[in-house]
């Protein structure tokens, strides 16, 4: 895959406008595996956070990416379990600053190292 398709470039900068494209390109079966239960979702998000930490992204950049993912999921995916349903309801009830705070909480929830 060429670099222009990646969300993070080789300098470690994040192109938040490419997050939606990356999510849309994800294989349906892979997406289903991730969203089928909350633990699988946390493992997936935790893996992405681990990669982000390894290339030096700040918590703020990780939260912004998590916020983009949350926006995508709230708009395009039906919750598959009660935890996802609760997250979707919280996401939709909150204003932008609430969703951003929730994104920070999700990053901290799945983070492997502080």
């Amino acid at each position: 895959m060429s670099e222009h398709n990646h969300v993070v470039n080789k300098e470690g900068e994040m192109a938040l406008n490419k997050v939606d494209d990356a999510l849309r390109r994800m294989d349906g079966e892979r997406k289903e595996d991730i969203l089928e239960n909350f633990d699988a979702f946390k493992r997936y998000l935790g893996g992405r956070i681990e990669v982000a930490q390894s290339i030096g992204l700040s918590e703020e950049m990780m939260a912004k990416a998590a916020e983009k993912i949350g926006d995508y999921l709230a708009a395009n995916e039906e919750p598959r379990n009660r935890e996802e349903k609760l997250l979707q309801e919280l996401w939709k009830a909150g204003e932008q600053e609430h969703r951003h705070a929730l994104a920070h909480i999700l990053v901290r929830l799945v983070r492997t190292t502080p």
Side-chain angles (χ1 to χ4, degrees):
M1 182 181 300
S2 65
E3 184 176 334
H4 73 277
N5 288 328
H6 290 280
V7 173
V8 179
N9 68 22
K10 59 187 171 189
E11 285 81 37
E13 299 163 339
M14 183 174 288
L16 291 173
N17 61 329
K18 294 184 179 182
V19 172
D20 286 345
D21 292 337
L23 290 167
R24 280 190 203 98
R25 285 192 315 266
M26 184 179 283
D27 175 75
E29 187 175 320
R30 174 73 174 128
K31 190 186 302 182
E32 195 59 42
D33 287 345
I34 294 166
L35 297 176
E36 81 176 271
N37 71 62
F38 194 61
D39 286 334
F41 173 72
K42 288 191 316 184
R43 279 191 303 276
Y44 174 78
L45 188 56
R48 304 291 66 80
I49 295 299
E50 201 172 293
V51 169
Q53 287 177 306
S54 74
I55 62 172
L57 291 183
S58 68
E59 181 178 321
E60 182 63 23
M61 287 304 295
M62 289 184 269
K64 286 181 180 181
E67 190 175 350
K68 292 288 285 180
I69 293 167
D71 286 343
Y72 175 86
L73 292 173
N76 298 294
E77 297 292 332
E78 286 299 317
R80 287 150 174 95
N81 54 63
R82 63 180 179 239
E83 295 90 351
E84 289 175 8
K85 179 68 173 161
L86 174 60
L87 280 174
Q88 184 186 60
E89 288 183 17
L90 290 170
W91 200 263
K92 288 182 174 183
E95 295 179 17
Q96 192 280 327
E97 66 268 17
H98 303 121
R99 291 187 297 271
H100 186 70
L102 187 53
H104 271 279
I105 292 167
L106 286 168
V107 167
R108 289 180 180 196
L109 175 69
V110 301
R111 196 179 227 174
T112 56
T113 56

